[in-house]
Amino acid sequence: SPTPAIAPAPWPVPECAAPAGDDAAPAGSLRPGGDEGATTSLRVDSAKVDRLLDNVGELVILQARLSRIAADHDDPRLRELAEGLERLTESLRDSTMSVRMVPLDATFHAFRRLVRDLAARLGKDVRFVAEGGETELDKTVIDHLRDPLLHLVRNAMDHGVESAEARLASGKPAEAVLRLSAAHAGGEVLITVSDDGAGIDLDKLRAVGVARGLLAPDADPGEAELLQLLFLPGFSTASGVSDLSGRGVGLDVVSTALGSLRGSVDVVTRQGEGTAWRLRIPLTLAIIDGLRVRVGDETFILPLTQVQACLERFVEGEAATLGLIEYRERLVPCLSLRRFLDVPGEQPAYERVIIANVDGQPVGFAVDGVAGLEQAVIKRLGGPCRRAAWIAGSSVDAEGGISLILDAAQLVRVAQGMQER
């Protein structure tokens, strides 16, 4: 027989009875304060995050102008307002920058399969090790890093790692190790691609350089100069051409890509023991802490992560474009920005010298004075300025003027090239 319908109750019936005490909460809802075991994510278009960061950058510039005005006026209320806005701006900047930061783990994981496939194709026994995948970088930086890392891993698999037979013959384990690691180093990230293979044959490198006319037959270059040949376009030590090597395309791409990121790459090798490629990359390409310096009526910015010390010197007559200065009981190169940039005006008798870390070595930059620390919002330049490798970008200062952000490593390379000519 059909089941009789149940008539609705004439009084309201609660959906559920909430338990009494601290655990009381509506069904299907989170307790006040959130659930520690639950995580919430929101998918946002990266273009929106970029626009937000642009607005934060403009706010940083306005905050710097307000702080300068407050410093020029003896008004406690205005100074208090400027200090409060500065704290809020720094917090907003850090929060916005953290949204763009992405761990390197996903990028590193993509190379695991690449190494496995290349090992099978080349007939080599290679174990891939990834370390520091939790290290975070700006998403824009990571997007530009994939190609350089790809070339370095392919180069290590083809040129660096030996076959199992060759390794056993030289007293090594049959299984080679290719290591990809990342770690924070100040305001930069240090990424290392290393292998325990055969290392780079410097004699072969020199022979190829002489054969291509890059070195004189009687030249006696040092190890660092020989290794720099690897980054020249079209340079290759491979005996034949394959889909992996021999075309001279690879390491020059690495050098160019790192230069566009305001980073650097250097190589350490020992024959028979292996090779390590070390990439130094800034955390972000948007906002940096910089040291503002003055040369004549112009102001420039050096990234604070590169600055080591500030010295002073007295100059008699006209300073040399590239000279020497004593730093920690040794002589280090010193570049006069006034002479290098041809800034008009009289050479001052007293100069400040900023000691910066350039490719792991201290280098001095002589300026007229130091204006102070500043958060620099990086603005890209177009036209002829884009072809100047020593210009990393520009920034608007508190007075509304434009300051160029200098690339210390490129400045030294260009100055050395000019001196050699």
Side-chain angles (χ1 to χ4, degrees), residues 206-370:
R206 184 185 182 282
V208 174
V210 172
R212 296 196 55 186
L214 301 173
L215 295 173
D218 56 346
D220 187 21
E223 179 178 332
E225 186 177 350
L226 283 174
L227 292 174
Q228 286 301 314
L229 295 176
L230 295 169
F231 298 101
L232 296 178
F235 189 91
S236 176
T237 58
S239 55
V241 178
S242 67
D243 57 345
L244 286 179
S245 62
R247 297 167 295 165
V249 178
L251 295 181
D252 63 311
V253 174
V254 175
S255 179
T256 302
L258 267 294
S260 66
L261 294 174
R262 302 197 326 273
S264 62
V265 56
D266 61 89
V267 54
V268 177
T269 184
R270 287 189 177 181
Q271 191 138 11
E273 297 184 15
T275 303
W277 305 86
R278 298 183 298 192
L279 285 64
R280 291 187 176 271
I281 306 137
L283 286 173
T284 179
L285 301 177
I287 302 175
I288 63 170
D289 291 323
L291 181 68
R292 185 179 297 277
V293 298
R294 179 177 51 81
V295 182
D297 296 331
E298 306 292 336
T299 58
F300 304 92
I301 294 176
L302 285 168
L304 194 59
T305 56
Q306 297 178 339
V307 177
Q308 292 182 334
C310 184
L311 310 179
E312 56 189 28
R313 71 173 182 179
F314 290 94
V315 181
E316 296 181 1
E318 195 169 353
T321 303
L322 188 61
L324 296 172
I325 188 171
E326 185 177 353
Y327 174 63
R328 293 181 178 177
E329 300 182 353
R330 58 177 289 197
L331 293 177
V332 300
C334 181
L335 176 64
S336 171
L337 291 184
R338 173 178 289 276
R339 292 294 307 275
F340 177 79
L341 301 175
D342 196 20
V343 177
E346 185 178 353
Q347 168 73 48
Y350 171 82
E351 288 184 328
R352 292 279 188 176
V353 179
I354 310 301
I355 303 296
N357 181 9
V358 177
D359 297 334
Q361 299 296 326
V363 177
F365 295 91
V367 299
D368 293 358
V370 177

Side-chain angles (χ1 to χ4, degrees), residues 7 10 19 23 31 84 94 103 109 125 159-160 180 194 205 220 238 268 288 310 320 357-359 417:
D23 293 335
R31 295 185 180 90
D94 294 341
H109 184 73
D125 188 4
H159 292 284
L180 184 57
S194 61
L205 200 59
D220 187 21
V268 177
I288 63 170
C310 184
N357 181 9
V358 177
D359 297 334

